[in-house]
mmCIF file of all heavy atoms in Angstrom:
data_model
loop_
_atom_site.group_PDB
_atom_site.id
_atom_site.type_symbol
_atom_site.label_atom_id
_atom_site.label_comp_id
_atom_site.label_asym_id
_atom_site.label_seq_id
_atom_site.Cartn_x
_atom_site.Cartn_y
_atom_site.Cartn_z
ATOM 1 N N ASN O 186 13.184 -9.510 -6.161
ATOM 2 C CA ASN O 186 12.578 -10.647 -5.461
ATOM 3 C C ASN O 186 12.012 -10.137 -4.137
ATOM 4 O O ASN O 186 12.000 -8.938 -3.908
ATOM 5 C CB ASN O 186 13.640 -11.732 -5.222
ATOM 6 C CG ASN O 186 14.884 -11.149 -4.564
ATOM 7 O OD1 ASN O 186 14.785 -10.401 -3.597
ATOM 8 N ND2 ASN O 186 16.050 -11.461 -5.109
ATOM 9 N N SER O 187 11.560 -11.061 -3.302
ATOM 10 C CA SER O 187 10.935 -10.629 -2.040
ATOM 11 C C SER O 187 11.845 -10.865 -0.840
ATOM 12 O O SER O 187 11.387 -11.120 0.261
ATOM 13 C CB SER O 187 9.599 -11.340 -1.856
ATOM 14 O OG SER O 187 8.721 -10.948 -2.878
ATOM 15 N N ARG O 188 13.157 -10.786 -1.095
ATOM 16 C CA ARG O 188 14.101 -11.029 -0.001
ATOM 17 C C ARG O 188 14.330 -9.779 0.854
ATOM 18 O O ARG O 188 15.132 -9.796 1.781
ATOM 19 C CB ARG O 188 15.437 -11.522 -0.571
ATOM 20 C CG ARG O 188 15.280 -12.862 -1.255
ATOM 21 C CD ARG O 188 16.535 -13.312 -1.955
ATOM 22 N NE ARG O 188 16.226 -14.495 -2.753
ATOM 23 C CZ ARG O 188 17.033 -15.012 -3.653
ATOM 24 N NH1 ARG O 188 18.201 -14.452 -3.888
ATOM 25 N NH2 ARG O 188 16.679 -16.089 -4.337
ATOM 26 N N GLY O 189 13.644 -8.695 0.496
ATOM 27 C CA GLY O 189 13.681 -7.506 1.365
ATOM 28 C C GLY O 189 14.929 -6.653 1.258
ATOM 29 O O GLY O 189 15.236 -5.908 2.190
ATOM 30 N N ILE O 190 15.649 -6.723 0.146
ATOM 31 C CA ILE O 190 16.904 -5.951 0.048
ATOM 32 C C ILE O 190 16.682 -4.456 0.286
ATOM 33 O O ILE O 190 17.406 -3.847 1.077
ATOM 34 C CB ILE O 190 17.616 -6.135 -1.304
ATOM 35 C CG1 ILE O 190 17.690 -7.614 -1.661
ATOM 36 C CG2 ILE O 190 19.016 -5.528 -1.267
ATOM 37 C CD1 ILE O 190 18.370 -7.880 -2.980
ATOM 38 N N HIS O 192 14.542 -2.812 1.954
ATOM 39 C CA HIS O 192 14.230 -2.541 3.361
ATOM 40 C C HIS O 192 15.461 -2.775 4.252
ATOM 41 O O HIS O 192 15.779 -1.964 5.118
ATOM 42 C CB HIS O 192 13.069 -3.460 3.769
ATOM 43 C CG HIS O 192 12.552 -3.218 5.153
ATOM 44 N ND1 HIS O 192 11.686 -4.077 5.773
ATOM 45 C CD2 HIS O 192 12.791 -2.224 6.035
ATOM 46 C CE1 HIS O 192 11.400 -3.620 6.980
ATOM 47 N NE2 HIS O 192 12.061 -2.495 7.169
ATOM 48 N N ILE O 193 16.168 -3.874 4.009
ATOM 49 C CA ILE O 193 17.344 -4.173 4.834
ATOM 50 C C ILE O 193 18.431 -3.107 4.614
ATOM 51 O O ILE O 193 19.074 -2.654 5.556
ATOM 52 C CB ILE O 193 17.865 -5.600 4.544
ATOM 53 C CG1 ILE O 193 16.783 -6.617 4.945
ATOM 54 C CG2 ILE O 193 19.159 -5.883 5.297
ATOM 55 C CD1 ILE O 193 17.068 -8.040 4.529
ATOM 56 N N VAL O 289 14.946 -6.674 10.662
ATOM 57 C CA VAL O 289 13.957 -6.612 9.583
ATOM 58 C C VAL O 289 13.163 -7.920 9.514
ATOM 59 O O VAL O 289 11.937 -7.912 9.346
ATOM 60 C CB VAL O 289 14.642 -6.326 8.222
ATOM 61 C CG1 VAL O 289 13.671 -6.528 7.072
ATOM 62 C CG2 VAL O 289 15.183 -4.903 8.207
ATOM 63 N N TYR O 290 13.856 -9.033 9.658
ATOM 64 C CA TYR O 290 13.181 -10.333 9.640
ATOM 65 C C TYR O 290 12.024 -10.326 10.631
ATOM 66 O O TYR O 290 10.892 -10.690 10.326
ATOM 67 C CB TYR O 290 14.185 -11.431 9.992
ATOM 68 C CG TYR O 290 13.574 -12.805 10.094
ATOM 69 C CD1 TYR O 290 13.217 -13.495 8.935
ATOM 70 C CD2 TYR O 290 13.338 -13.397 11.327
ATOM 71 C CE1 TYR O 290 12.637 -14.755 9.020
ATOM 72 C CE2 TYR O 290 12.760 -14.649 11.416
ATOM 73 C CZ TYR O 290 12.413 -15.323 10.267
ATOM 74 O OH TYR O 290 11.831 -16.557 10.352
ATOM 75 N N MET O 293 9.095 -7.893 9.800
ATOM 76 C CA MET O 293 8.188 -8.393 8.778
ATOM 77 C C MET O 293 7.321 -9.555 9.287
ATOM 78 O O MET O 293 6.206 -9.734 8.840
ATOM 79 C CB MET O 293 8.959 -8.787 7.512
ATOM 80 C CG MET O 293 9.651 -7.615 6.828
ATOM 81 S SD MET O 293 8.670 -6.092 6.668
ATOM 82 C CE MET O 293 7.470 -6.560 5.409
ATOM 83 N N GLU O 294 7.830 -10.319 10.243
ATOM 84 C CA GLU O 294 6.994 -11.338 10.884
ATOM 85 C C GLU O 294 5.766 -10.657 11.493
ATOM 86 O O GLU O 294 4.658 -11.169 11.418
ATOM 87 C CB GLU O 294 7.765 -12.042 12.014
ATOM 88 C CG GLU O 294 8.818 -13.018 11.544
ATOM 89 C CD GLU O 294 8.276 -14.438 11.402
ATOM 90 O OE1 GLU O 294 7.064 -14.637 11.554
ATOM 91 O OE2 GLU O 294 9.082 -15.341 11.126
ATOM 92 N N PHE O 297 3.288 -9.402 8.682
ATOM 93 C CA PHE O 297 2.494 -10.453 8.049
ATOM 94 C C PHE O 297 1.587 -11.209 9.016
ATOM 95 O O PHE O 297 1.083 -12.270 8.694
ATOM 96 C CB PHE O 297 3.404 -11.400 7.264
ATOM 97 C CG PHE O 297 3.776 -10.839 5.928
ATOM 98 C CD1 PHE O 297 4.986 -10.194 5.741
ATOM 99 C CD2 PHE O 297 2.885 -10.903 4.865
ATOM 100 C CE1 PHE O 297 5.318 -9.635 4.515
ATOM 101 C CE2 PHE O 297 3.208 -10.354 3.649
ATOM 102 C CZ PHE O 297 4.422 -9.720 3.458
ATOM 103 N N ARG O 306 -1.006 -6.042 0.603
ATOM 104 C CA ARG O 306 0.233 -6.376 -0.076
ATOM 105 C C ARG O 306 0.009 -7.329 -1.249
ATOM 106 O O ARG O 306 0.815 -7.402 -2.167
ATOM 107 C CB ARG O 306 1.247 -6.947 0.923
ATOM 108 C CG ARG O 306 1.881 -5.838 1.735
ATOM 109 C CD ARG O 306 2.561 -6.303 2.980
ATOM 110 N NE ARG O 306 2.850 -5.150 3.844
ATOM 111 C CZ ARG O 306 4.029 -4.527 3.906
ATOM 112 N NH1 ARG O 306 5.034 -4.929 3.184
ATOM 113 N NH2 ARG O 306 4.183 -3.490 4.696
ATOM 114 N N SER O 307 -1.119 -8.067 -1.208
ATOM 115 C CA SER O 307 -1.355 -9.000 -2.315
ATOM 116 C C SER O 307 -2.013 -8.318 -3.519
ATOM 117 O O SER O 307 -2.001 -8.857 -4.623
ATOM 118 C CB SER O 307 -2.218 -10.168 -1.849
ATOM 119 O OG SER O 307 -3.535 -9.712 -1.614
ATOM 120 N N LYS O 310 0.635 -7.311 -6.077
ATOM 121 C CA LYS O 310 1.205 -8.548 -6.585
ATOM 122 C C LYS O 310 0.304 -9.165 -7.659
ATOM 123 O O LYS O 310 0.777 -9.636 -8.695
ATOM 124 C CB LYS O 310 1.312 -9.509 -5.397
ATOM 125 C CG LYS O 310 2.396 -10.512 -5.509
ATOM 126 C CD LYS O 310 2.449 -11.318 -4.227
ATOM 127 C CE LYS O 310 3.568 -12.321 -4.324
ATOM 128 N NZ LYS O 310 4.016 -12.792 -3.041
ATOM 129 N N ALA O 319 5.300 -6.927 -8.028
ATOM 130 C CA ALA O 319 4.943 -8.278 -7.597
ATOM 131 C C ALA O 319 5.853 -8.722 -6.452
ATOM 132 O O ALA O 319 5.568 -9.698 -5.770
ATOM 133 C CB ALA O 319 5.052 -9.240 -8.771
ATOM 134 N N ASN O 320 6.948 -8.002 -6.258
ATOM 135 C CA ASN O 320 7.881 -8.359 -5.193
ATOM 136 C C ASN O 320 7.615 -7.541 -3.934
ATOM 137 O O ASN O 320 7.140 -6.421 -4.013
ATOM 138 C CB ASN O 320 9.312 -8.118 -5.659
ATOM 139 C CG ASN O 320 9.638 -8.905 -6.901
ATOM 140 O OD1 ASN O 320 9.280 -10.074 -7.009
ATOM 141 N ND2 ASN O 320 10.273 -8.253 -7.873
ATOM 142 N N GLU O 321 7.923 -8.119 -2.796
ATOM 143 C CA GLU O 321 7.711 -7.446 -1.520
ATOM 144 C C GLU O 321 9.010 -6.728 -1.127
ATOM 145 O O GLU O 321 9.979 -7.362 -0.715
ATOM 146 C CB GLU O 321 7.304 -8.494 -0.482
ATOM 147 C CG GLU O 321 7.248 -8.009 0.944
ATOM 148 C CD GLU O 321 6.323 -6.829 1.144
ATOM 149 O OE1 GLU O 321 5.127 -6.965 0.843
ATOM 150 O OE2 GLU O 321 6.817 -5.768 1.564
ATOM 151 N N SER O 322 9.008 -5.398 -1.263
ATOM 152 C CA SER O 322 10.254 -4.656 -0.987
ATOM 153 C C SER O 322 10.647 -4.730 0.488
ATOM 154 O O SER O 322 11.807 -4.588 0.838
ATOM 155 C CB SER O 322 10.105 -3.200 -1.416
ATOM 156 O OG SER O 322 9.091 -2.583 -0.649
ATOM 157 N N GLY O 323 9.648 -4.949 1.352
ATOM 158 C CA GLY O 323 9.946 -5.057 2.784
ATOM 159 C C GLY O 323 10.562 -6.394 3.149
ATOM 160 O O GLY O 323 11.257 -6.518 4.150
ATOM 161 N N GLY O 324 10.287 -7.401 2.315
ATOM 162 C CA GLY O 324 10.791 -8.751 2.569
ATOM 163 C C GLY O 324 9.723 -9.661 3.139
ATOM 164 O O GLY O 324 9.032 -9.294 4.081
ATOM 165 N N GLU O 325 9.573 -10.851 2.529
ATOM 166 C CA GLU O 325 8.663 -11.843 3.104
ATOM 167 C C GLU O 325 9.484 -12.705 4.055
ATOM 168 O O GLU O 325 10.568 -13.152 3.699
ATOM 169 C CB GLU O 325 8.055 -12.703 2.003
ATOM 170 C CG GLU O 325 6.848 -12.045 1.378
ATOM 171 C CD GLU O 325 6.310 -12.801 0.174
ATOM 172 O OE1 GLU O 325 6.490 -14.037 0.153
ATOM 173 O OE2 GLU O 325 5.751 -12.151 -0.712
ATOM 174 N N PRO O 326 8.952 -12.956 5.263
ATOM 175 C CA PRO O 326 9.738 -13.685 6.260
ATOM 176 C C PRO O 326 10.362 -14.986 5.724
ATOM 177 O O PRO O 326 11.500 -15.299 6.070
ATOM 178 C CB PRO O 326 8.721 -13.968 7.356
ATOM 179 C CG PRO O 326 7.749 -12.852 7.254
ATOM 180 C CD PRO O 326 7.646 -12.511 5.798
ATOM 181 N N ASP O 327 9.647 -15.710 4.856
ATOM 182 C CA ASP O 327 10.229 -16.956 4.349
ATOM 183 C C ASP O 327 11.319 -16.718 3.303
ATOM 184 O O ASP O 327 12.136 -17.593 3.037
ATOM 185 C CB ASP O 327 9.145 -17.836 3.720
ATOM 186 C CG ASP O 327 8.247 -18.428 4.785
ATOM 187 O OD1 ASP O 327 8.687 -18.466 5.954
ATOM 188 O OD2 ASP O 327 7.112 -18.821 4.459
ATOM 189 N N GLU O 328 11.288 -15.564 2.691
ATOM 190 C CA GLU O 328 12.246 -15.270 1.622
ATOM 191 C C GLU O 328 13.519 -14.588 2.146
ATOM 192 O O GLU O 328 14.596 -14.758 1.570
ATOM 193 C CB GLU O 328 11.592 -14.351 0.573
ATOM 194 C CG GLU O 328 10.444 -14.998 -0.197
ATOM 195 C CD GLU O 328 10.921 -16.148 -1.072
ATOM 196 O OE1 GLU O 328 11.875 -15.942 -1.838
ATOM 197 O OE2 GLU O 328 10.366 -17.260 -0.956
ATOM 198 N N ILE O 329 13.360 -13.804 3.207
ATOM 199 C CA ILE O 329 14.512 -13.029 3.712
ATOM 200 C C ILE O 329 15.767 -13.900 3.926
ATOM 201 O O ILE O 329 16.855 -13.526 3.510
ATOM 202 C CB ILE O 329 14.125 -12.243 4.995
ATOM 203 C CG1 ILE O 329 13.135 -11.129 4.636
ATOM 204 C CG2 ILE O 329 15.359 -11.634 5.669
ATOM 205 C CD1 ILE O 329 12.548 -10.371 5.822
ATOM 206 N N PRO O 330 15.623 -15.104 4.527
ATOM 207 C CA PRO O 330 16.835 -15.913 4.755
ATOM 208 C C PRO O 330 17.502 -16.434 3.478
ATOM 209 O O PRO O 330 18.562 -17.059 3.550
ATOM 210 C CB PRO O 330 16.316 -17.083 5.607
ATOM 211 C CG PRO O 330 15.085 -16.562 6.254
ATOM 212 C CD PRO O 330 14.459 -15.668 5.224
ATOM 213 N N LYS O 331 16.905 -16.189 2.326
ATOM 214 C CA LYS O 331 17.571 -16.581 1.077
ATOM 215 C C LYS O 331 18.546 -15.504 0.602
ATOM 216 O O LYS O 331 19.297 -15.708 -0.344
ATOM 217 C CB LYS O 331 16.533 -16.827 -0.023
ATOM 218 C CG LYS O 331 15.647 -18.031 0.244
ATOM 219 C CD LYS O 331 14.647 -18.224 -0.873
ATOM 220 C CE LYS O 331 13.658 -19.332 -0.490
ATOM 221 N NZ LYS O 331 12.412 -19.221 -1.243
ATOM 222 N N LEU O 332 18.474 -14.354 1.250
ATOM 223 C CA LEU O 332 19.317 -13.246 0.802
ATOM 224 C C LEU O 332 20.771 -13.433 1.233
ATOM 225 O O LEU O 332 21.054 -13.699 2.395
ATOM 226 C CB LEU O 332 18.774 -11.926 1.376
ATOM 227 C CG LEU O 332 19.578 -10.663 1.046
ATOM 228 C CD1 LEU O 332 19.624 -10.417 -0.455
ATOM 229 C CD2 LEU O 332 18.979 -9.452 1.755
ATOM 230 N N ARG O 599 2.910 -22.642 10.566
ATOM 231 C CA ARG O 599 4.090 -21.986 10.005
ATOM 232 C C ARG O 599 5.295 -22.098 10.936
ATOM 233 O O ARG O 599 6.403 -22.366 10.514
ATOM 234 C CB ARG O 599 3.800 -20.500 9.763
ATOM 235 C CG ARG O 599 3.269 -20.207 8.379
ATOM 236 C CD ARG O 599 3.664 -18.801 7.973
ATOM 237 N NE ARG O 599 5.086 -18.708 7.702
ATOM 238 C CZ ARG O 599 5.916 -17.899 8.326
ATOM 239 N NH1 ARG O 599 5.489 -17.091 9.256
ATOM 240 N NH2 ARG O 599 7.192 -17.869 8.004
ATOM 241 N N ARG O 917 2.876 -13.738 15.492
ATOM 242 C CA ARG O 917 4.123 -14.444 15.789
ATOM 243 C C ARG O 917 4.994 -13.637 16.734
ATOM 244 O O ARG O 917 6.087 -14.029 17.075
ATOM 245 C CB ARG O 917 4.887 -14.695 14.492
ATOM 246 C CG ARG O 917 4.083 -15.519 13.508
ATOM 247 C CD ARG O 917 4.790 -15.561 12.172
ATOM 248 N NE ARG O 917 3.830 -15.411 11.095
ATOM 249 C CZ ARG O 917 4.175 -15.129 9.849
ATOM 250 N NH1 ARG O 917 5.433 -14.946 9.526
ATOM 251 N NH2 ARG O 917 3.252 -15.022 8.917
#
Side-chain angles (χ1 to χ4, degrees):
N186 51 47
S187 296
R188 296 174 189 168
I190 313 180
H192 185 191
I193 297 171
V289 169
Y290 176 75
M293 296 316 288
E294 286 269 6
F297 280 98
R306 282 163 194 262
S307 71
K310 208 176 181 159
N320 302 317
E321 171 57 59
S322 63
E325 276 174 29
D327 288 340
E328 294 294 309
I329 291 174
K331 293 180 187 158
L332 178 61
R599 269 209 71 239
R917 301 171 222 165

